[in-house]
């Protein structure tokens, strides 16, 4: 690259120069951990939940919440950004879970997540807890 003055500018590198899929994969992680002793399915989510990654989160969690009567805990402590698309996916997943009798709970002490939930009033709509210790017993 050459700037107007004629000197060579350094080439930029990083995730932004790769394919969109590569950049998206680098900013969101979804990990289903083995069920807890009391039968809860725990899914840990980390990174950014925005308009590019929210569909991936939906795709990963839809089969988990679709199991009738299960108890699913979504651990959002490692989330670094939660945009409106992510909020929409959380509401959608909660509705899907409710339709089949699955308990869908969110756990997060991270202000990056709790603030948008609180500002939108979704902390009152979704089953949201600040810690695992605050969760009701599995199955209830």
């Amino acid at each position: 690259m050459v700037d107007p003055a004629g000197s060579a500018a350094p080439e930029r590198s990083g995730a932004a120069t790769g394919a969109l899929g590569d950049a998206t994969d680098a900013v969101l992680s979804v990990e289903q951990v083995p069920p807890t002793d009391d039968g809860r399915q725990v899914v840990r989510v980390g990174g950014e939940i925005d308009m590019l990654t929210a569909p991936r989160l939906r795709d990963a969690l839809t089969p988990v919440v679709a199991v009738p009567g299960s108890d699913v805990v979504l651990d959002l402590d490692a989330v670094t950004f939660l945009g409106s698309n992510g909020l929409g996916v959380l509401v959608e997943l909660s509705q899907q879970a409710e339709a089949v009798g699955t308990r869908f709970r969110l756990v997060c002490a991270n202000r990056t997540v709790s603030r948008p939930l609180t500002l939108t009033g979704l902390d009152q709509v979704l089953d949201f807890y600040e810690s695992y210790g605050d969760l009701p017993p599995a199955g209830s």
Side-chain angles (χ1 to χ4, degrees), residues 56-124:
R56 186 167 154 228
L57 181 65
R58 178 190 307 109
D59 293 346
L61 290 175
T62 294
V64 177
V65 301
V67 178
S70 63
D71 198 333
V72 177
V73 176
L74 190 61
D75 181 335
L76 300 171
D77 270 334
V79 170
T80 57
F81 177 80
L82 178 60
S84 60
N85 294 79
L87 292 170
V89 166
L90 294 177
V91 170
E92 195 177 316
L93 291 166
S94 177
Q95 292 170 339
Q96 290 172 5
E98 186 177 350
V100 296
T102 293
R103 286 165 297 285
F104 180 67
R105 297 175 170 136
L106 309 176
V107 173
C108 186
N110 178 348
R111 185 168 159 83
T112 301
V113 172
S114 64
R115 184 150 170 82
L117 288 172
T118 303
L119 289 173
T120 59
L122 289 175
D123 63 327
Q124 302 300 310

